[in-house]
């Protein structure tokens, strides 16, 4: 039978013979016509070759530490006349191995360029090569196409960007363990860019405020804060700058613990690397202190309590008149509490100064009319034109 053996292991070829009698069994290498064994004797000088049998019926050819050169046809032969024989094939499989000098190493490129990664491997059968990201993220081949892996010894990326940055794995497999891989890091360089979530921030004096911005750059950038005249903001008890970076992203924060009059103005977050620099502005403006006014709800609630305890009969009388003019808002069965909560009552209560002025004007006009008509009649001439 044909036999398959991994390189470095032992291969055993089997030949079964019936009624051997006094004849002998020999093993030969077909392609070289080399006699390997005759009966129990090893003829070849190859120390890796051996022969055994089971009751002269089943004969075994042993090849230890199999090499690729052992691959080929072998013959089991009986020295009858005519000769009898059978042949079998020994296939030697080899696990994959990556060829370093034909495979790409770590690469550093500028953003926007085209990149080709190469991976070469040997093995038998010929290995299959796959590319994938080490972190498991999909590979972006175009703005509209993402794949989990790429097949082939050549891996092309067009107009690489910062999202392509990271380690890639070249994986070679052919069904013979073990599968092998090589790690290739792709580094994409680009000048700094800055994003600012809030460019206008207000604060009161004495308040703590935090300014934030995010930058992206590679090589890694130097990041700092400046004031109106490009003066670097010092780190101290009042100002606390912090930087959090992951890969090529940097998150900058500037915390002002107690804002004073001199702290209002324009701040800049600056990012700088060997390819360029950029900055972003944030304006910190002053919010006036609270005016202390009550909300409408509080005013209405407080005025309502004062109105209930009032003993001003004229104010009460005016409200009673308004109640009778609006029968839809009050039924005879409603109590006084429901009427105080009605829209008209709330309207009067929220403008107490207007109600007081109305009452005073009414009292004064009534007193003046009474005084003129009854107590002190004032003579006056009659003007026919009036």
């Amino acid at each position: 039978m044909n036999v398959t053996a991994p390189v470095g292991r032992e291969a055993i070829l089997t030949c079964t013979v019936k009624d051997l009698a006094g004849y002998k069994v020999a093993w030969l290498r077909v392609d070289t016509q080399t006699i390997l064994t005759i009966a129990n004797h090893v003829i070849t000088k190859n120390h890796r070759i051996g022969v055994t049998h089971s009751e002269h019926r089943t004969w075994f050819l042993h090849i230890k530490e199999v090499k690729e050169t052992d691959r080929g046809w072998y013959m089991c032969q009986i020295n009858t006349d005519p000769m009898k024989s059978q042949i079998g094939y020994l296939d030697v499989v080899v696990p994959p191995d990556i060829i370093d000098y034909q495979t790409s190493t770590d690469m550093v490129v500028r953003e926007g360029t085209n990149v080709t990664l190469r991976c070469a491997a040997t093995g038998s059968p010929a290995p299959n090569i796959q590319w994938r990201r080490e972190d498991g993220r999909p590979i972006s081949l175009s703005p509209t196409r993402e794949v989990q892996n790429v097949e082939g010894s050549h891996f092309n990326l067009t107009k690489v960007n910062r999202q392509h940055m990271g380690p890639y794995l070249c994986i070679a497999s052919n069904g013979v363990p073990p599968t092998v891989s090589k790690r290739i890091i792709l580094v994409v360089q680009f000048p700094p860019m800055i994003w600012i979530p809030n460019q206008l921030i207000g604060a009161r004096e004495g308040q703590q405020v935090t300014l934030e911005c995010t930058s992206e750059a590679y090589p890694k950038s130097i990041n700092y804060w400046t004031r109106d005249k490009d003066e670097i903001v010092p780190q101290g008890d009042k100002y606390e700058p912090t930087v959090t970076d992951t890969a090529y992203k940097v998150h900058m924060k500037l915390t002002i613990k107690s804002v004073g009059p001199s702290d209002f103005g324009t701040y800049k977050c600056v990012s700088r690397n060997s390819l360029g620099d950029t900055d972003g502005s944030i304006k910190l403006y002053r919010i006036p202190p609270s005016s202390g006014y009550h909300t409408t709800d509080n005013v209405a609630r407080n005025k309502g309590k004062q109105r209930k305890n009032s003993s001003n009969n004229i104010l009460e009388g005016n409200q009673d008149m308004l109640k009778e003019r609006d029968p839809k808002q009050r039924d005879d069965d409603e109590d006084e509490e429901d009427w105080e909560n009605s829209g008209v009552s709330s309207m009067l209560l929220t403008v107490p100064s207007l109600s007081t002025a109305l009452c005073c004007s009414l009292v004064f006009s009534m007193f003046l009319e009474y005084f003129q008509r009854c107590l002190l009649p004032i003579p006056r001439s009659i003007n026919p034109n009036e």
Side-chain angles (χ1 to χ4, degrees):
M1 296 178 61
N2 296 334
V3 174
T4 299
V7 68
R9 302 290 182 88
E10 182 182 12
I12 301 176
L13 288 88
T14 304
C15 180
T16 302
V17 181
K18 293 181 181 180
D19 302 325
L20 181 59
Y23 296 101
K24 297 183 184 300
V25 174
W27 285 97
L28 295 82
R29 178 78 184 259
V30 174
D31 54 352
T32 61
Q33 294 296 310
T34 304
I35 299 176
L36 303 176
T37 67
I38 297 177
N40 294 323
H41 305 287
V42 176
I43 305 302
T44 181
K45 293 181 180 180
N46 188 343
H47 69 279
R48 297 184 295 111
I49 301 296
V51 62
T52 61
H53 64 86
S54 174
E55 298 179 353
H56 293 80
R57 177 180 176 86
T58 306
W59 295 79
F60 303 99
L61 176 67
H62 299 265
I63 306 175
K64 299 178 182 179
E65 300 175 4
V66 171
K67 299 180 180 180
E68 285 191 79
T69 55
D70 295 327
R71 183 186 293 114
W73 293 97
Y74 291 80
M75 177 184 290
C76 169
Q77 176 181 300
I78 305 173
N79 61 341
T80 56
D81 186 17
M83 179 192 68
K84 295 181 179 180
S85 66
Q86 282 190 344
I87 61 173
Y89 188 81
L90 172 61
D91 187 18
V92 179
V93 293
V94 182
D97 185 31
I98 293 177
I99 307 172
D100 286 335
Y101 71 91
Q102 294 181 8
T103 300
S104 299
T105 56
D106 295 347
M107 300 183 67
V108 179
V109 298
R110 287 291 298 269
E111 193 170 42
T113 60
N114 298 333
V115 173
T116 298
L117 301 179
R118 296 177 176 85
C119 184
T122 60
S124 180
N128 176 52
I129 295 177
Q130 277 190 352
W131 296 87
R132 71 164 182 251
R133 294 190 68 125
E134 187 180 52
D135 56 11
R137 291 166 48 200
I139 300 172
S140 176
L141 298 181
S142 70
T144 59
R145 185 186 175 200
E146 287 187 344
V147 295
Q148 203 64 37
N149 52 63
V150 175
E151 301 274 350
S153 59
H154 289 67
F155 174 31
N156 298 315
L157 287 171
T158 304
K159 294 183 179 180
V160 296
N161 56 53
R162 63 202 67 182
Q163 279 76 33
H164 290 120
M165 188 186 305
Y168 291 81
L169 294 177
C170 157
I171 305 170
S173 62
N174 65 351
V176 182
T179 297
V180 293
S181 64
K182 183 175 181 179
R183 185 173 186 258
I184 302 171
I185 299 176
L186 177 63
V187 177
V188 181
Q189 293 186 334
F190 54 94
M193 298 179 67
I194 281 182
W195 289 265
I196 299 177
N198 296 309
Q199 292 184 303
L200 193 62
I201 297 177
R204 295 184 176 90
E205 291 186 18
Q207 180 182 348
Q208 176 174 303
V209 67
T210 300
L211 314 180
E212 298 184 52
C213 72
T214 301
S215 71
E216 294 184 1
Y218 201 90
K220 287 189 175 182
S221 56
I222 299 172
N223 303 279
Y224 56 92
W225 292 88
T226 64
R227 285 294 308 272
D228 303 282
K229 298 180 180 180
D230 292 334
E231 298 176 353
I232 296 178
V233 177
Q235 182 174 358
D237 295 335
K238 188 171 187 179
Y239 301 103
E240 185 181 345
T242 58
V243 175
T244 305
D245 59 344
T246 54
Y248 55 84
K249 293 185 179 181
V250 175
H251 189 201
M252 300 173 59
K253 288 184 180 181
L254 177 63
T255 301
I256 306 174
K257 295 183 179 179
S258 180
V259 176
S262 61
D263 295 322
F264 297 108
T266 301
Y267 293 78
K268 287 183 180 179
C269 55
V270 182
S271 182
R272 189 186 302 268
N273 73 358
S274 59
L275 302 179
D277 61 83
T278 187
D279 59 63
S281 298
I282 302 175
K283 185 174 182 180
L284 180 63
Y285 67 92
R286 179 178 178 272
I287 298 178
S290 176
S291 59
Y293 292 129
H294 297 291
T295 63
T296 304
D297 292 339
N298 290 335
V299 172
R301 182 166 58 251
N302 293 337
K303 294 302 180 180
K305 292 179 181 178
Q306 293 176 3
R307 177 246 177 266
K308 190 170 184 179
N309 296 330
S310 174
S311 59
N312 190 328
N313 294 330
I314 296 177
L315 178 60
E316 297 290 344
N318 287 337
Q319 289 178 341
D320 291 340
M321 292 170 63
L322 288 173
K323 296 174 190 174
E324 294 174 0
R325 292 174 185 173
D326 193 3
K328 294 181 180 179
Q329 293 186 356
R330 183 183 183 190
D331 296 332
D332 293 337
D333 296 336
E334 289 182 335
D335 57 15
E336 186 66 18
E337 186 66 21
D338 293 337
W339 176 237
E340 284 188 357
N341 294 330
S342 68
V344 177
S345 176
S346 299
M347 179 182 67
L348 290 175
L349 298 181
T350 56
V351 285
S353 58
L354 180 60
S355 301
T356 305
L358 180 62
C359 295
C360 295
S361 176
L362 181 59
V363 172
F364 179 79
S365 61
M366 290 173 62
F367 176 79
L368 181 61
E369 183 178 1
Y370 177 80
F371 181 79
Q372 288 179 343
R373 291 185 179 180
C374 302
L375 300 179
L376 295 173
I378 300 175
R380 54 183 292 198
S381 60
I382 299 175
N383 188 347
N385 294 325
E386 292 183 356

